[in-house]
Amino acid sequence: MNLASAAGITLEALRRRCAGVALLTAAEDTAPYLSDHRRLYHGRALAVALPQTVAQLAALMSCCHELGIGVVPQGGNTSYCGGATPDESGQQLVIGLGRMNRVRAIDAANFSMTVEAGCLLEQVQRAAAGAGCYFPLELGSAGSCQIGGNLATNAGGLNVLRFGMARDLTLGIEAVLPDGRVFQRLRSLRKDNTGYDLKSLLIGSEGTLGIITAATLKLWPQRHGSSTAFVAVADVGAAIALLALLRGAAGERLNSFELLPRAAIELACRYIPDTRAPLGTASAWYVLCELGSFVDEQLDELLQNTLAQATSAGLVQDAAIAASEAQRRAFWNLREAIPEAQRRAGPGVKHDISVPVSALPAFVAEASAWVAGHVSEGTLVAYGHAGDGNLHFNINWLGGAASAADVAAQEPVIRRAIHDLVAAHGGSISAEHGIGRLKVAELQRYTSAVELDMMREIKRALDPKGIMNPGKLLGS
Ligand code: FAD
Ligand code: 2HG
Ligand code: ZN
């Protein structure tokens, strides 16, 4: 039997056994699901399935398990490592979660909410605000990524310093396992020491262990106020000293601490309309930091005093505190515009790395020197969540300095050098974006044999037929 008729028989079986699940097969319908948002990965698929209920998804998975069909869960398709794109075989089933998008419950007194995986992050934030609460996960992609995808990648973002990663924000998970069984652990408990923490295993598993269908999330009271500053600093060492000063003075109120090089500001201002540099002072590095509080406090005064102290200590060259919500928004828009500006500016290589915060200055110095010595046409645009020790150590080839193919040819050597330096500083080669397809070999290289064994054993135990997102994370 040829592949086309085998696929036809498989699809017929899925249609018969999974009533109610929309199955897209027409090229114009499936196209948006077959490549990633950066158009770096392209695949083919047997079909795209769009279940609407947990029961439908469970029936679908049970059928896929029986027939040995590889499945690729897909949320908002905003991730960076190709994890949501099927392979080239045309034999895998993409399962889109977008139709499972109900807010199931909000318990304001318990500061928790239960939402389905297909809710957009922005929808979750709005629903929390509507109940007088605050959900602190914040990413530039909030309007298009889904909470299921956020949990599957254990997303980080702009508020990790104060509130933690997606895993830290989660009380309970519901998921369909590879054989169609439903893992139901939507408890909204802060304390629950009953055996292995299975929800934490599913969070960050990038669709390789099961499909997350719902989550119970932690909420906070609505924030009372914030104070946001854009600060010019001489170098990374000064930024890290400023971080320590701010943590000492503001404690838990320090929500965000982003490090931005001048190159990133220039790219954003050049490629993204309505963005402009907040400070006249030209500096090599800038910090965007924000204090937030749940009670009525003089945050501007606290930030101003701390920045004055930092200026006296020679750490700060210039600073502006947002005088209005519009100005605050403008600071953040500038920051959030950087990934899109990089995309428009030309081909690039991305590294989503973390090192201990104390090691950032040395890492940046060494890695920048390597780039300067080995990547002659590339412009370093290293920015990100310095308060968490996480930088997007990206390099762009601007204004036609190299073709995408030339950059792709150089990428393995560059990546190896940067990641070896990360490892030498005790860091991680994936701080927040995950492994997907992009970093399968990197995970093997920088992870101990014992850890890899444990991961493979967990994978085999939960997915013995290897149908969950084949080829991703642990590879084949
Ligand atoms: P997808 O891209 O659809 O999928 C990601 C992975 O999760 C895939 O492996 C997929 O198979 C799996 N998956 C998706 N849904 C499910 C599910 N329900 N069950 C099981 N597996 C599933 N990321 C950060 O961490 N921090 C940032 O600051 C940040 N900023 C960004 C800014 C921009 C402008 C963009 C475009 C992206 C940014 N990202 C950031 C990356 C991305 O938005 C996150 O990784 C996000 O969590 C992915 O969610 P998604 O719904 O798009 O998932
Ligand atoms: C961010 O922090 C995202 O803006 C994207 O994680 C980073 O594009 C990148 O490299
Ligand atoms: Zn980031």
Side-chain angles (χ1 to χ4, degrees), residues 236-249:
V236 181
I240 298 308
L242 174 63
L243 172 67
L245 208 62
L246 280 166
R247 291 196 81 156

Side-chain angles (χ1 to χ4, degrees), residues 399-419:
S403 68
D406 286 343
V407 171
Q410 293 183 60
E411 188 165 354
V413 173
I414 298 174
R415 179 173 300 155
R416 172 63 58 86
I418 301 302
H419 285 168

Side-chain angles (χ1 to χ4, degrees), residues 60-353:
L60 187 63
M61 285 310 301
S62 147
C63 200
C64 290
H65 187 252
E66 202 177 297
L67 301 176
I69 302 170
V71 305
V72 182
Q74 193 174 104
N77 200 14
T78 66
S79 53
Y80 278 98
C81 302
T85 308
D87 68 12
E88 285 294 321
S89 68
Q91 303 299 305
Q92 299 181 335
L93 183 71
V94 174
I95 301 186
L97 276 299
R99 292 190 177 177
M100 296 179 66
N101 61 355
R102 279 182 319 125
V103 173
R104 288 196 193 159
I106 303 186
D107 183 350
N110 188 53
F111 289 100
S112 64
M113 72 194 294
T114 298
V115 297
E116 291 184 345
C119 288
L120 296 180
L121 173 56
E122 200 172 70
Q123 182 189 351
V124 174
Q125 294 167 336
R126 287 213 180 110
C133 294
Y134 174 61
F135 180 62
L137 187 65
E138 189 59 88
L139 315 180
S141 53
S144 39
C145 62
Q146 298 176 5
I147 192 71
N150 301 149
L151 293 169
T153 56
N154 188 28
L158 304 167
N159 286 332
V160 172
L161 186 56
R162 164 70 179 89
F163 298 98
M165 307 270 290
R167 181 180 282 119
D168 302 306
L169 306 175
T170 308
L171 296 168
I173 285 284
E174 177 189 82
V176 175
L177 298 181
D179 60 5
R181 284 177 297 163
V182 179
F183 166 76
Q184 255 279 353
R185 193 79 179 182
L186 286 172
R187 290 185 174 183
S188 51
L189 304 174
R190 256 84 184 170
K191 302 185 91 170
D192 180 18
N193 273 349
T194 47
Y196 302 133
D197 187 0
L198 298 171
K199 72 170 169 8
S200 284
L201 199 55
L202 285 156
I203 298 170
S205 65
E206 301 182 45
T208 63
L209 298 179
I211 303 188
I212 296 170
T213 50
T216 300
L217 305 168
K218 289 183 195 170
L219 299 178
W220 275 258
Q222 224 155 35
R223 290 207 307 177
H224 205 282
S226 62
S227 183
T228 311
F230 207 90
V231 184
V233 292
D235 53 31
V236 181
I240 298 308
L242 174 63
L243 172 67
L245 208 62
L246 280 166
R247 291 196 81 156
E252 295 271 279
R253 297 175 194 85
L254 182 61
N255 288 1
S256 312
F257 190 92
E258 299 284 310
L259 182 65
L260 313 169
R262 189 158 79 219
I265 309 290
E266 286 172 355
L267 281 190
C269 292
R270 177 155 174 211
Y271 287 98
I272 309 294
D274 302 325
T275 48
R276 63 176 200 85
L279 296 173
T281 309
S283 182
W285 294 93
Y286 300 87
V287 163
L288 172 56
C289 57
E290 182 162 289
L291 308 188
S293 178
F294 299 114
V295 295
D296 192 8
E297 294 185 280
Q298 301 302 316
L299 291 179
D300 278 349
E301 201 179 306
L302 176 60
L303 190 52
Q304 214 155 19
N305 291 342
T306 315
L307 290 174
Q309 209 184 323
T311 308
S312 306
L315 302 176
V316 164
Q317 300 179 323
D318 193 5
I321 295 183
S324 62
E325 179 55 25
Q327 207 175 6
R328 170 182 175 266
R329 214 37 264 164
F331 289 179
W332 280 112
N333 285 345
L334 179 66
R335 158 64 183 94
E336 288 172 18
I338 297 168
E340 177 59 17
Q342 281 204 294
R343 198 184 62 78
R344 294 184 192 180
V349 176
K350 286 180 184 289
H351 307 94
D352 167 36
I353 63 93

Side-chain angles (χ1 to χ4, degrees), residues 80 139 156-158 258 335 339 352 383-385 390-392 432-433:
Y80 278 98
L139 315 180
L158 304 167
E258 299 284 310
R335 158 64 183 94
D352 167 36
Y383 65 95
H385 322 290
N390 173 198
L391 282 188
H392 301 302
E432 59 171 11
H433 293 162

